[in-house]
Each structure stands twice: as C-alpha cells, then as structure tokens.
Amino acid sequence: MVGFGRAISDGVFNAAIYDVVIEDIHQNKGFGQQIIGNLLAQLKEISCVHLVATTGNEEFYRKIGFSKLKTAIARYLNPTLTEEYVE
C-alpha cells in the first residue's frame, strides 16, 4: 500500500476528509493528489467539504484548492495534540 484517505459525509451538504496518508518513500509523487481527487470526485455533489490536515501539510492542501477556515474549532483530550493543533 502506498497511501490511503477517508471521508465521511451526510450525503447532502457536509463532508470531511480525514487521514490522507502517504508512505514516506512515496511522497511528492502525486499519490496524495490522486487520493484527494478520488475523494472529491465521490463528494462532487456535496456543498461543503472540510479537511483536517496534519501540521505542516497545509500548503499541500492550499495548492489543490482548500482554504483555511475562519471558524474552525476543536477540542482534544490529549495534551500533546492540543499543543500541536490548537491556537
């Protein structure tokens, strides 16, 4: 396996893409773009597609059309994740 991604959706208005992961040796070869493209093709009728990215990958997602949200809010129980992801 080179990589994977998953999305959840209500089938009408909202969807969220999570866990797009590419094995280190296969990064920067277009596989991430292919996975995102496949997910977005399956979500083409969904009005709002959110994406949760790991720290440091924001620019990759910006280049393929995603934008930072003004009102994203989260809560993490794990203090390490809170430190990494919460402003």
Side-chain angles (χ1 to χ4, degrees):
M1 182 181 327
V2 171
F4 67 90
R6 69 182 175 117
I8 58 173
S9 175
D10 62 12
V12 179
F13 183 72
N14 283 299
I17 296 175
Y18 295 98
D19 301 329
V20 177
V21 178
I22 306 298
E23 189 176 4
D24 289 344
I25 63 170
H26 296 293
Q27 290 182 1
N28 300 309
K29 296 179 181 175
F31 294 115
Q33 289 180 342
Q34 282 184 301
I35 290 171
I36 293 291
N38 282 339
L39 291 170
L40 291 175
Q42 294 175 62
L43 300 169
K44 67 181 178 212
E45 302 297 323
I46 305 301
S47 177
C48 181
V49 179
H50 295 91
L51 182 135
V52 177
T54 51
T55 303
N57 292 319
E58 299 88 350
E59 189 58 30
F60 167 76
Y61 293 110
R62 280 189 193 103
K63 286 180 182 177
I64 58 174
F66 287 86
S67 301
K68 187 173 181 179
L69 295 177
K70 293 179 181 179
T71 60
I73 299 172
R75 181 186 88 146
Y76 291 90
L77 296 179
N78 181 317
T80 303
L81 293 176
T82 300
E83 187 175 313
E84 182 174 353
Y85 291 110
V86 177
E87 293 180 345

